[in-house]
Amino acid sequence: MKFDRIEMRIVPLQLRERFEISSGGRQERLIFVVTIHDGDQVGWGECVVGEDPGYSYETTETAWHILKDFLVPRVIGGEFTDPGEVAVRMEWVRGHPMAQAAIEMAAWDLHSRQQGLTLATAIGGRTRPVDVGVSIGLQPDTDTLLAKVGAYLDEGYKRIKMKIKPGRDLEMLTHVRDAYPDARILADANSAYSLDDLPLLQKMDALDLMMIEQPFAWNDFADHRRLQAAIDTPVCLDESICSLSDARMALEMKACEVINIKPGRVGGMGSAIAIHDLCLDAGIPVWCGGMLESGIGRAFNVALATLPGFTLPGDISGSKRYWDRDLVTPEWVIQDGTLAPHEGVGIGVTPDLERIHDEAIRVHVVEA
């Protein structure tokens, strides 16, 4: 692979409904796409940063700066045998895994296309359907939440994740469990709680949740360890895991029993695969989370979830869950509670180039 042209674009998309978590919510999403050109061949990636630092210190603005001023200049014109070499070239930048992942993942798409392989095959997975769940943001009232849960179960989703925050947690979850006693449900706190909330979190054991995701601060492994020792419900770490070393620390400290792997959060596919392999060897289940990606980013999540350690349904919903019209064709469609990688080479979907170019509100192009 030779990177002779790299393009960055930001395209605004409206979510079908406002998506709210414990730190806030939004309805407009800025989709940040990166393309790498090697002659006539193109690899696509998506930077999954949020517009504000409520989930991560990385934002649309920081990622644009890091990519434009440091990462793209480091790799443009370079020749690489595989995406791993691309990742090594960017290692000198401390942190900013989401920015690095945008290039690394585009390199995986380009590499897969040049090898004539699907992305799933290129990373060591296989073209098989993967079980998917859905993530439901905080709702205005319990009746609305119950209706949404029921509708998604009727659509075939195999697991329901509900966002929680103080004051909207135990009672709400109890209503859902009473209404759907056999449903696989979990709660996602997005770091909204502390060890002072231990008595409340212990009460959730009675609800038979699959897990409680990221209850404490993203950098607090010690208190997550104390919590996991004090409750029966498995603790799942999300924001805490930004690298292989983070995952290794979490497992060694027994800070969790499940890990949510998002390739765009951990620096790309190579890092995600390494975390998967670590957890598989340790007998720790993993699942693939989502970051409100377009169909471009979703392609990487689906491919990753074909690896054998992904035994739990992931947040890899169909395109219509979030968008009236996705940025790719064909769109991602749920069938019997699963999504399958498309059969085409690379990410297997075709980005709507005309729309991306026409609707982009920011563009940066560099040639070797």
Side-chain angles (χ1 to χ4, degrees):
M1 294 184 292
K2 182 175 181 180
F3 294 178
D4 51 35
R5 180 183 175 94
I6 298 178
E7 303 175 1
M8 299 160 41
R9 286 180 173 82
I10 293 177
V11 181
L13 283 187
Q14 288 287 321
L15 289 159
R16 297 185 70 182
E17 61 181 50
R18 180 177 171 82
F19 192 80
E20 184 178 349
I21 65 175
S22 61
S23 60
R26 65 175 51 254
Q27 190 154 6
E28 184 178 78
R29 187 79 168 98
L30 298 179
I31 302 299
F32 190 155
V33 294
V34 174
T35 55
I36 294 174
H37 298 249
D38 181 356
D40 293 334
Q41 294 182 305
V42 181
W44 288 82
E46 181 171 341
C47 187
V48 300
V49 288
E51 293 77 7
D52 61 57
Y55 176 88
S56 165
Y57 67 83
E58 289 189 85
T59 67
T60 306
E61 293 300 322
T62 68
W64 187 270
H65 164 53
I66 294 297
L67 280 158
K68 174 179 176 290
D69 295 331
F70 300 105
L71 296 177
V72 170
R74 189 73 169 189
V75 300
I76 189 69
E79 294 191 37
F80 306 95
T81 59
D82 58 59
E85 289 188 357
V86 180
V88 170
R89 182 73 65 89
M90 298 186 292
E91 281 181 347
W92 72 283
V93 171
R94 185 172 299 188
H96 302 280
M98 294 182 185
Q100 296 192 46
I103 288 179
E104 192 260 14
M105 292 162 77
W108 270 107
D109 183 35
L110 179 61
H111 175 72
S112 302
R113 293 173 187 271
Q114 292 178 335
Q115 298 298 312
L117 301 173
T118 66
L119 178 62
T121 303
I123 66 169
R126 52 196 176 94
T127 304
R128 64 173 179 88
V130 297
D131 289 344
V132 296
V134 68
S135 178
I136 302 177
L138 287 161
Q139 299 300 309
D141 54 67
T142 300
D143 288 343
T144 302
L145 174 63
L146 291 174
K148 286 188 177 295
V149 171
Y152 285 127
L153 290 173
D154 288 343
E155 284 186 41
Y157 283 101
K158 296 187 176 181
R159 186 268 289 145
I160 304 292
K161 180 169 84 171
M162 292 167 289
K163 299 291 185 177
I164 62 172
K165 70 177 183 179
R168 299 177 67 182
D169 41 43
L170 183 62
E171 182 179 357
M172 177 185 74
L173 291 170
T174 300
H175 282 301
V176 174
R177 175 51 78 210
D178 289 344
Y180 303 102
D182 298 323
R184 303 176 79 187
I185 62 176
L186 67 96
D188 184 8
N190 291 113
S191 302
Y193 297 84
S194 72
L195 204 57
D196 293 338
D197 298 301
L198 179 58
L200 171 72
L201 298 173
Q202 287 176 317
K203 292 179 181 178
M204 292 184 187
D205 277 343
L207 299 176
D208 190 29
L209 301 176
M210 292 180 66
M211 66 194 80
I212 178 168
E213 184 179 359
Q214 199 66 47
F216 298 161
W218 65 274
N219 57 352
D220 196 339
F221 289 94
D223 278 359
H224 277 112
R225 176 184 180 179
R226 295 184 181 97
L227 173 65
Q228 185 63 91
I231 65 175
D232 295 328
T233 304
V235 171
C236 172
L237 291 183
D238 174 7
E239 291 98 314
S240 295
I241 310 300
C242 295
S243 66
L244 176 61
S245 61
D246 288 339
R248 187 179 295 115
M249 180 186 299
L251 298 191
E252 290 182 358
M253 291 185 66
K254 298 182 179 179
C256 66
E257 293 181 359
V258 183
I259 285 181
N260 170 353
I261 304 177
K262 299 175 180 176
R265 187 195 69 230
V266 302
M269 299 297 279
S271 178
I273 294 166
I275 294 170
H276 161 272
D277 293 348
L278 172 73
C279 292
L280 185 62
D281 289 343
I284 297 294
V286 299
W287 54 282
C288 185
M291 293 286 289
L292 302 179
E293 299 97 339
S294 76
I296 297 168
R298 198 163 307 278
F300 291 92
N301 295 348
V302 175
L304 182 68
T306 68
L307 294 175
F310 286 88
T311 57
L312 301 174
D315 288 339
I316 317 175
S317 307
S319 296
K320 292 300 182 185
R321 163 67 182 92
Y322 297 113
W323 318 112
D324 284 324
R325 178 184 167 205
D326 207 337
L327 287 178
V328 301
T329 55
E331 295 195 355
W332 295 98
V333 178
I334 298 293
Q335 294 184 339
D336 298 323
T338 67
L339 278 179
H342 293 294
E343 295 181 358
V345 296
I347 60 175
V349 292
T350 302
D352 187 339
L353 190 61
E354 181 177 357
R355 183 180 173 206
I356 291 170
H357 283 198
D358 288 347
E359 299 182 12
I361 59 174
R362 192 184 300 186
V363 180
H364 179 67
V365 178
V366 178
E367 296 186 356

